[in-house]
Each structure stands twice: as structure tokens, then as C-alpha cells.
Amino acid sequence: MQQDKPLAGLRVVEHASGVAAAWAGRLFAAMGAEVIMAEPPALCPLRGEAPLFDDGGSALFAYVAADKRSVICDTGTPAGRGALSALLDTADIFIDDTPLAARAARGLDETAIAARHPDLVHLSVLPFGATGPKAGWTGQEINLIHSGGEGYLLPNGLSADMFPDRPPLRIAGHFAEMQGGATAALAALAALWSGEGQYVDASVQDANVAVGCFALQRYGDGSVEHRLTRSFRYGGVIECRDGHVELLMLEERQWQALVRLMDHPRWAMDEALDDPATRSARGDEINRNIRAWARHHAVDDLVSRAQELGVPMARYNTPEQILSGAHEMARGLFGAVTVPGTGEVLIQTAPFRFGDAPLDLCRAAPGPGADQALLPQIPAARRVTA
């Protein structure tokens, strides 16, 4: 563990089966905390979660469990509950996403944890929080992206124009759960810095409602936004000769700069388009012309010229372009770790810095029970090896 990381010396125990809680733990690990995954004998379900490497190992788990440690702890038995309690005696933060109905029997409910560990920050991370009518509900990514309102609005823009009859979709990956995990980590840090133990109730749905405000912002004018109307009147995702860009048009000066970028085409010289309201009303027509023009140009050329002229335009990167991008490489955004059975893999180090140098990765995701010595009261015969 590097001592120059801001959370060096902090111990976090993570009892997680889902992405949200695991991502909260990953953010703590990135900042230097010692994060110990307390896994059940059947192991963390994320170890088998797609996408998978060729050898069957989980790429998702390799990402969210990097720089963590692993112990096997069966909270379904008195011995396992005692082992976890002993571990929590040494911890500053406890992350748990056990469903509410199962917590009391495992000694993981709010009251029991507070009684045994009064100085501990107990971070509960649940799909819909630990209070309210839906507190006992489970939820997967598709449920959470829709319960937060975002899924109803997808696909939109160019995708909606191309495929208007497609039903609502979810975002690829674990967007909603990671939003919940990041919010939970922030709340736990705030509780920690208050100087006393307390229970933090984090809801993944609440986190997504907070950041996905597009579903709510139109209520003020009496309208309900829909994926077929959720777009700027012109602009958005534009296809070019060798990829896509996003064009964001909000101000008059940006429209004038766009006209210059397109070399003052005849259709844009229509005096009626000097009126912003008319441009909004004729947005579909404008977009057809912009798209026809953009298909003849390369992304890098367009973006470079657009930024010189003050047109808000940026490349839509592919994953490969992000991994090899000059900006991303200069910031040290990705670090290499060796994943057993797979080899060297690039993993994002952290989405933040605390100085001139990027935060580094120290370890790949641990094997099951790789750090079982942290639970010395568990008999050696029950230890699980990688």
C-alpha cells in the first residue's frame, strides 16, 4: 500500500454481491484504503459475471476487485459471524449489500452492527435503499436504469431517428449501479470524517434520480420527456466518414460558428434561419443537412476545425481509442495488472488524481481467500485457496 495515497491506513470491509457495493469498495481501494472482501463459501457472484475472459474469468470482477484482498467468511454460521465481527473490530468502514430480510439472521442489521461496533461507519448499499416501501426489493441493472427514469429516454437522438420503433433500452454495462456505488462511497467518507460511527443508507435508485435529471427537468412546463423528443432541436450525434461526433448547439454564436465550419452552405444562408425559434422548428431539416455534410469529413479534421472556430464538437470514442488516446495515456488513466489465466490486462486506475502523478494499481483482483490469514480464528482446514 502506498503511503502517499489519501486513504492509506484506512481499513474497509466489503461484504458485497453486487456491482454498486463492489464499486464503492473499489473507489476506496484506488485511494489507498485496505479493502478486504468478505466472501461467502460460494464466493462473490461477481467472479462469474460477464463479460468473461477466454479462460472463463470475469473481466468485470477483475476491474471492480483490483487492489482488494479476499477472505472467506460464512456469515450463515456462528463461527463465520464471529470471524466477521472480529474483522470489523479493526475496520473503519463496513460496506454491505445483503438484502434487508436476510440481515438480522446473519447479525448484519443496523442495530446489531451499531451495538457491537459503535465507532464503525456502516454503509448499506441497496437497489432502493433500506427504508420505504421498496426497501426489501431486489433489482438488477435493467431495473435500476429504468427506475431512475433514464432507461425510458433511451435510445434517443440519432439512434431514435434511425430506429424509432425500438423499445426503451438500458445502457450497456453497469451504469446505474456504478452511479450508486460512487454516491455511496462519497456518503461513507462524509460519515467517516464526522468523527463518529453511523449508519449510511445508500439507494442506487436515488443516486440515479439525482444525476439523471433529464427525466424530471421538463415537468416544470407541463411536459413529460420521451426518448423521441429528448434531443436538441439540431445537433446531437452525427455520423462522419470514419466515426461519429457529438455536436451541442445552445447559443447563437455557436450556430454562426457552425455555419463557418460548413463553409456557409446555401441552405444555411436562408434568412429565416437567423431566428433561433425558426431554427428549432426546422431542426429536422437542419440535421439532415448537417449529417449529409458531415459524412464527407473525417472525425479528427472536423473536431480540430470545430474547436478552433468555437463549435462545441467532440469525437465519439470507441473503447480502443480510449485505451490508446494521447490524453488518456498522458494522464496514466490505465494501469497494467497480470490476471492469472489471462495475462496482462489494462484496467482504469482511478477517475481522479491527488497530485501530479496518477494513482497506480498495486495488485490484480485477489484469488478466493488469498488473504485468509486476516481471519486467524478460522481453522486452516476450512481455508480456500486460489
Side-chain angles (χ1 to χ4, degrees), residues 335-362:
V337 296
T338 300
V339 177
T342 297
E344 188 175 88
V345 174
L346 290 177
I347 293 178
Q348 184 181 8
T349 55
F352 36 66
R353 281 190 179 195
F354 297 94
D356 294 334
L359 298 176
D360 63 341
L361 286 169
C362 299

Side-chain angles (χ1 to χ4, degrees), residues 12 23 27 72-73 94 97 118 137 159 243 272-273 278 306 309 314 367 371:
V12 177
W23 183 239
L27 292 174
I72 307 301
C73 186
F94 175 47
D97 65 1
W137 290 18
S159 297
L273 295 180
T278 300
L309 293 171
D371 304 283

Side-chain angles (χ1 to χ4, degrees), residues 251-261 274 279:
E251 302 176 18
E252 179 64 28
R253 62 181 178 84
Q254 295 165 349
W255 163 253
Q256 298 298 335
L258 176 63
V259 172
R260 291 195 297 274
L261 177 64
D274 291 341
R279 291 200 300 270

Side-chain angles (χ1 to χ4, degrees), residues 4-41:
D4 60 348
K5 292 184 178 181
L7 297 187
L10 192 76
R11 173 171 279 188
V12 177
V13 174
E14 175 193 303
H15 187 253
S17 61
V19 171
W23 183 239
R26 173 71 163 81
L27 292 174
F28 285 124
M31 290 185 278
E34 180 188 39
V35 179
I36 303 169
M37 298 185 299
E39 302 188 62

Side-chain angles (χ1 to χ4, degrees), residues 82-147:
L84 179 61
S85 183
L87 187 59
L88 292 179
D89 284 337
T90 70
D92 301 284
I93 297 174
F94 175 47
I95 305 172
D96 184 34
D97 65 1
T98 301
L100 279 182
R103 289 185 177 183
R106 297 176 179 271
L108 299 175
D109 57 294
E110 176 186 356
T111 301
I113 294 294
R116 291 194 299 268
H117 311 284
D119 297 325
L120 185 69
V121 172
H122 180 187
L123 175 59
S124 167
V125 185
L126 292 172
F128 303 100
T131 59
K134 295 192 292 186
W137 290 18
T138 59
Q140 301 301 316
E141 175 68 17
I142 190 168
N143 311 118
L144 294 165
I145 201 69
H146 282 281
S147 68

Side-chain angles (χ1 to χ4, degrees), residues 84-378:
L84 179 61
S85 183
L87 187 59
L88 292 179
D89 284 337
T90 70
D92 301 284
I93 297 174
F94 175 47
I95 305 172
D96 184 34
D97 65 1
T98 301
L100 279 182
R103 289 185 177 183
R106 297 176 179 271
L108 299 175
D109 57 294
E110 176 186 356
T111 301
I113 294 294
R116 291 194 299 268
H117 311 284
D119 297 325
L120 185 69
V121 172
H122 180 187
L123 175 59
S124 167
V125 185
L126 292 172
F128 303 100
T131 59
K134 295 192 292 186
W137 290 18
T138 59
Q140 301 301 316
E141 175 68 17
I142 190 168
N143 311 118
L144 294 165
I145 201 69
H146 282 281
S147 68
E150 186 75 8
Y152 178 73
L153 303 176
L154 300 172
N156 59 34
L158 178 61
S159 297
D161 289 348
M162 295 174 64
F163 309 105
D165 297 328
R166 289 194 176 181
L169 302 174
R170 74 173 179 87
I171 299 173
H174 297 270
F175 179 86
E177 292 168 288
M178 287 186 168
Q179 291 280 12
T183 302
L186 175 64
L189 281 177
L192 181 71
W193 289 330
S194 73
E196 58 184 33
Q198 57 184 292
Y199 180 71
V200 179
D201 174 7
S203 161
V204 176
Q205 180 189 31
D206 290 2
N208 281 268
V209 170
V211 299
C213 58
F214 293 109
L216 304 176
Q217 66 182 11
R218 296 286 297 280
Y219 285 160
D221 63 9
S223 61
V224 177
E225 197 163 21
H226 186 273
R227 61 186 179 278
L228 297 181
T229 62
R230 182 197 188 186
S231 64
F232 295 102
R233 295 297 178 250
Y234 53 95
V237 179
I238 305 293
E239 183 179 5
C240 300
R241 188 172 66 208
D242 58 347
H244 293 78
V245 297
E246 182 159 18
L247 175 64
L248 180 63
M249 304 299 297
L250 297 175
E251 302 176 18
E252 179 64 28
R253 62 181 178 84
Q254 295 165 349
W255 163 253
Q256 298 298 335
L258 176 63
V259 172
R260 291 195 297 274
L261 177 64
M262 295 186 295
D263 296 323
H264 300 86
R266 179 178 300 177
W267 64 266
M269 296 297 98
D270 184 346
E271 290 184 359
L273 295 180
D274 291 341
D275 177 24
T278 300
R279 291 200 300 270
S280 292
R282 293 170 58 179
D284 290 344
E285 171 195 339
I286 293 174
N287 257 357
R288 284 195 296 272
N289 284 300
I290 293 174
R291 289 169 182 172
W293 162 79
R295 291 191 189 100
H296 300 286
H297 297 273
V299 168
D300 286 344
D301 178 54
L302 268 191
V303 170
S304 176
R305 290 168 52 206
Q307 293 184 353
E308 288 177 0
L309 293 171
V311 179
M313 179 184 289
R315 168 193 284 276
Y316 248 48
N317 286 318
T318 65
E320 293 80 7
Q321 288 168 331
I322 295 172
L323 284 169
S324 60
H327 174 79
E328 291 78 9
M329 294 181 69
R331 283 185 58 83
L333 186 58
F334 299 96
V337 296
T338 300
V339 177
T342 297
E344 188 175 88
V345 174
L346 290 177
I347 293 178
Q348 184 181 8
T349 55
F352 36 66
R353 281 190 179 195
F354 297 94
D356 294 334
L359 298 176
D360 63 341
L361 286 169
C362 299
R363 295 179 299 275
D371 304 283
Q372 202 69 10
L374 294 171
L375 291 177
Q377 69 272 40
I378 301 296

Side-chain angles (χ1 to χ4, degrees), residues 43-55:
L43 305 183
C44 176
L46 297 178
R47 288 186 179 273
E49 188 79 17
L52 305 177
F53 294 120
D54 290 341
D55 69 342

